[in-house]
Amino acid sequence: MTDTAAATPATGSARLGVLLMLLGMVMFSLNDVLGKWLVSTYSVGQLMLIRSLAAMVVLAPFFWRVGWRRLIEVEQPKLQLLRSALFAFEASAFYFAVAYMPLADTMTYWLAAPIYVAALSPLMLGEHVGWRRWSAILVGFAGVIIALAPSRESFTLPALIALAGSLAFGLAMVFSRSLRATPDTTLVFWQVTGAALFAGVWCLSDPGGWAPVSAVDFGLLSLLGIVAMAAHMLVNRSLKLGDAATVVPLQYTLLIWAVLFGWLFFGDAPRPAMLIGAGFIVASGLFIFFRELQLKRRDG
């Protein structure tokens, strides 16, 4: 009886962690659908600016509680700025790419980010990567090439921007590893501020690209930042409630939702090459994750 009672809360927490991760992925996917729909009317710069300012307003109470001085006076400020710039670029690249490409294709490139992190970590952070993970990295890169289906027609500007954006995302995550000592609130502050400044410069450089915004669309543009934050909170809570080996692989359900929502809302039929490439990428990412988890447990 005691063993059963003791196991119940842990089991309940694990299940809740799984549900929260799945819900977070659905929210991220719906947010991407909304972004793809809005970017057909508004420029990427305008979308990014309103989205970032809305997120800043919602997060202001948390920033106020921490104190502005602690947010601004940070260690490695140059690295903070570079990380913020990379996140601003990758978010802009995502919205630009998704305006011209199927949602599932764009998401496939972004799912390759953990593979870039694994490949760059030995070079930039001095981390050791064995032959097993290097093999998985090569498989992942092969998946990217298959998904891209190299040809004269496939090397379009949106596809190249998608690749550049996913690489920037991977680089930003590598730099995040170097800033582990920085509080999460500070990292979020610099990330949101960087995106707002990046978008502001974009809009100022192209004032003719600013379209009149209706009250409804302004609410939807603002919702982009708010829903993304809520999804991040669900994911973070999921990681606290459930074992990483259980909940982290569920992030790949993003691809399922991207295929489904792309077909339902935009009539995008997934390409066979994209599906095959995505399979390679997901398999590679999962192997890298579980291998790193295994090594951490062994070293611990």
Side-chain angles (χ1 to χ4, degrees):
M1 182 70 71
T2 304
D3 292 341
T4 304
T8 301
T11 304
S13 295
R15 288 175 179 170
L16 181 58
V18 168
L19 290 174
L20 291 180
M21 179 62 78
L22 291 173
L23 180 57
M25 294 306 101
V26 174
M27 290 182 66
F28 272 128
S29 300
L30 288 172
N31 208 43
D32 293 339
V33 169
L34 180 59
K36 180 176 174 64
W37 180 67
L38 288 169
V39 83
S40 64
T41 303
Y42 304 99
S43 70
V44 173
Q46 186 174 0
L47 180 148
M48 282 288 295
L49 182 60
I50 297 175
R51 171 185 183 267
S52 301
L53 291 177
M56 186 70 75
V57 169
V58 173
L59 290 169
F62 299 97
F63 297 150
W64 183 267
R65 186 188 306 172
V66 171
W68 297 107
R69 186 171 181 178
R70 289 179 60 189
L71 293 174
I72 295 173
E73 294 180 359
V74 295
E75 295 181 5
Q76 305 186 69
K78 292 182 180 179
L79 192 58
Q80 292 277 5
L81 289 172
L82 181 57
R83 174 184 174 275
S84 299
L86 286 168
F87 271 123
F89 173 77
E90 73 87 11
S92 301
F94 178 85
Y95 287 118
F96 181 89
V98 85
Y100 299 95
M101 296 169 58
L103 190 60
D105 287 45
T106 309
M107 187 58 65
T108 297
Y109 295 128
W110 256 258
L111 288 177
I115 300 168
Y116 302 148
V117 173
L120 293 170
S121 293
L123 304 174
M124 302 180 67
L125 301 178
E127 296 181 359
H128 174 71
V129 174
W131 67 270
R132 293 181 182 85
R133 278 184 288 173
W134 275 120
S135 299
I137 289 168
L138 291 176
V139 169
F141 280 128
V144 173
I145 293 172
I146 292 171
L148 183 61
S151 67
R152 236 177 238 184
E153 292 76 20
S154 65
F155 281 110
T156 60
L157 181 61
L160 294 175
I161 288 179
L163 286 173
S166 63
L167 180 58
F169 185 42
L171 280 168
M173 289 197 294
V174 171
F175 291 137
S176 296
R177 289 190 177 188
S178 299
L179 297 169
R180 287 192 184 103
T182 304
D184 290 344
T185 306
T186 303
L187 291 175
V188 171
F189 171 78
W190 282 94
Q191 188 172 332
V192 175
T193 302
L197 292 174
F198 183 88
V201 172
W202 184 324
C203 292
L204 288 174
S205 64
D206 183 28
W210 186 275
V213 185
S214 66
V216 173
D217 282 358
F218 184 83
L220 293 175
L221 287 164
S222 301
L223 198 62
L224 280 175
I226 297 170
V227 171
M229 282 191 306
H232 277 296
M233 290 173 65
L234 288 171
V235 170
N236 291 337
R237 188 61 181 167
S238 169
L239 290 168
K240 292 180 180 179
L241 292 173
D243 183 77
T246 301
V247 298
V248 169
L250 297 174
Q251 294 182 2
Y252 287 103
T253 57
L254 273 172
L255 185 59
I256 299 173
W257 292 117
V259 172
L260 179 61
F261 291 154
W263 174 67
L264 284 176
F265 294 107
F266 306 106
D268 295 330
R271 297 179 296 112
M274 186 280 295
L275 293 175
I276 295 170
F280 276 78
I281 292 169
V282 171
S284 172
L286 288 174
F287 179 87
I288 291 170
F289 168 72
F290 283 114
R291 181 60 181 167
E292 290 180 352
L293 201 63
Q294 182 184 37
L295 292 174
K296 285 179 182 178
R297 287 173 176 171
R298 188 183 68 185
D299 295 340

